Each structure stands twice: as C-alpha cells, then as structure tokens.
Amino acid sequence: MLRACCTRLLPLLVLISTCSQVAKTESQNVRSLTDANFDQSTAEGAWLIEFFAPWCSHCRDLEATWDALADELKGKVNVAKVDGTSERGLLGRFHVEGFPTIFHVHDTETRPYTGKRTMQKLMDFALADWKAEPALPVWKSPTSLIGRVWGRIQGLPVRAQRYYQYLHLEKHYSQMTLLASLLAIPLTIGLSMICMLDAYMTRRPTFQRYN
C-alpha cells in the first residue's frame, strides 16, 4: 500500500518541482555584471542596473518586475543586475548602502533612481525621465575616469583573494609557498629601488688634466 501511495505521489512531486524551476527562471535579457566585465560591458549604450542581495526580500519582490522590464526594454536600454554580496568592488565604487539600489548609466554619467519600483515608473525612468535627474558629480561618479581608477583600486583585495583561492585550491600550492611568494614581491621591488637609487646617487670619479 505504501509503495502504491508513493507511486501515485511521484508524478505530482515531479510536476511541482518542474513548476518551481520554471517560476525561478530568470529572463535571458537581464545581464549579469561583475567587477571583471563591468567597464567593458557598459562602455556602449544606456544601462539600468540593480544592485541586489540574494537574502533581500525587497529584491525578490522586484525580481519579476525586473525580468519583465528587461524583456520590454530589449534593444533600447540594457537591463542588468549586480550581486552586491560577491561584487564588493562595484559595491564600494557605487557607494551602495542598501538593497535594492538602482542606477542609470550612460557614457560617463550615472544617475541613482529614487522613485517607486513599479514597472511603469522604472520604464519611464529608463527611457526618458533619467534626463531630468542630475548626474553624480565627476569626482563621485563610478563611471567617470576617476571612478574607474578608484574602482580598480577597491577591487584589488577581491582580485587578490580570488587569485589566492585559484592557486591554493585549484593549483594546490601550499600556504607556505604562497606566503613566501607574497613576501618576495615587495622585497624584490625594494632591493631593485635601492640599487637604482644607489646607481643614480653615486657620482662618477672626476680626473683633473695637468698640462
């Protein structure tokens, strides 16, 4: 009897699982931006970017609207997402303090969105209303030259951590080897600078000519 009951429930469980997977499928038009591909991806066109966190309930509430927005704006405005829990460099570069946070990016100008997170309001902002909002100043804009340089600097710890994990976990270098290599880099640079300064500061001997 138990086996018969399980046999009858199995198709129902498969159907529920399939429906759940379909419901969780994201739009193919939502681009995923990371520290590695952000500058190259956003170099052309207009972008509407959402910073989110997987644990954020407001972000989950916005997900269906964001997917529909990406489908509607296809070919007009690029719609993208940034996982703020993993892309720490971009998080600091945009000065994100909460989730979800939305920005409009076009060329070197960045504008934060502060309106209601409805389909119509977001679409109006992405297509035209962004022009009425003041852009962030150059020194604060994450897409200006200053912002890009600052983003590179802020992303160094993240890149270093990823490189360490790659060498340690995938290439199986020991922690002692990695530590010795890390200490050798500044030591080599320091010795090179000392040698260069010594060569520059040392004067050549002068000879006097006697008649």
Side-chain angles (χ1 to χ4, degrees), residues 43-58:
E44 297 181 358
W47 291 76
L48 196 65
I49 304 171
E50 175 205 358
F51 283 81
F52 76 99
W55 47 261
C56 172
S57 60
H58 296 293

Side-chain angles (χ1 to χ4, degrees), residues 16-185:
I16 293 174
S17 176
T18 304
C19 292
S20 176
Q21 291 178 359
V22 171
K24 292 181 179 180
T25 301
E26 295 184 358
S27 170
Q28 297 297 319
N29 295 317
V30 177
R31 303 280 297 275
S32 178
L33 296 178
T34 64
D35 290 317
N37 68 8
F38 180 84
D39 289 331
Q40 183 177 2
S41 298
T42 59
E44 297 181 358
W47 291 76
L48 196 65
I49 304 171
E50 175 205 358
F51 283 81
F52 76 99
W55 47 261
C56 172
S57 60
H58 296 293
C59 300
R60 290 195 295 267
D61 293 339
L62 180 61
E63 187 172 358
T65 301
W66 202 254
D67 290 344
L69 185 68
D71 295 336
E72 191 68 26
L73 294 177
K74 183 180 180 181
K76 302 174 184 177
V77 178
N78 299 291
V79 178
K81 300 175 75 172
V82 176
D83 187 347
T85 61
S86 59
E87 306 303 328
R88 297 289 184 177
L90 286 176
L91 196 70
R93 183 170 165 181
F94 277 78
H95 306 284
V96 175
E97 298 180 351
F99 301 111
T101 300
I102 299 172
F103 293 94
H104 182 278
V105 172
H106 185 60
D107 293 333
T108 59
E109 296 184 345
T110 302
R111 292 171 170 84
Y113 177 72
T114 57
K116 294 182 179 179
R117 295 190 289 267
T118 62
M119 178 72 174
Q120 190 60 50
K121 289 291 186 181
L122 288 167
M123 187 177 300
D124 292 342
F125 179 77
L127 293 175
D129 289 355
W130 62 271
K131 298 177 182 179
E133 296 293 330
L136 295 175
V138 175
W139 60 269
K140 192 176 181 181
S141 174
T143 52
S144 66
L145 179 60
I146 298 175
R148 294 180 190 277
V149 173
W150 181 241
R152 293 286 184 181
I153 295 174
Q154 288 186 314
L156 287 177
V158 177
R159 293 188 182 93
Q161 183 180 11
R162 290 176 179 173
Y163 190 58
Y164 166 79
Q165 292 176 348
Y166 169 76
L167 292 177
H168 182 56
L169 299 178
E170 297 186 23
K171 295 299 182 179
H172 306 293
Y173 284 95
S174 66
Q175 293 184 352
M176 187 61 67
T177 301
L178 294 175
L179 180 60
S181 301
L182 183 63
L183 294 176
I185 293 174

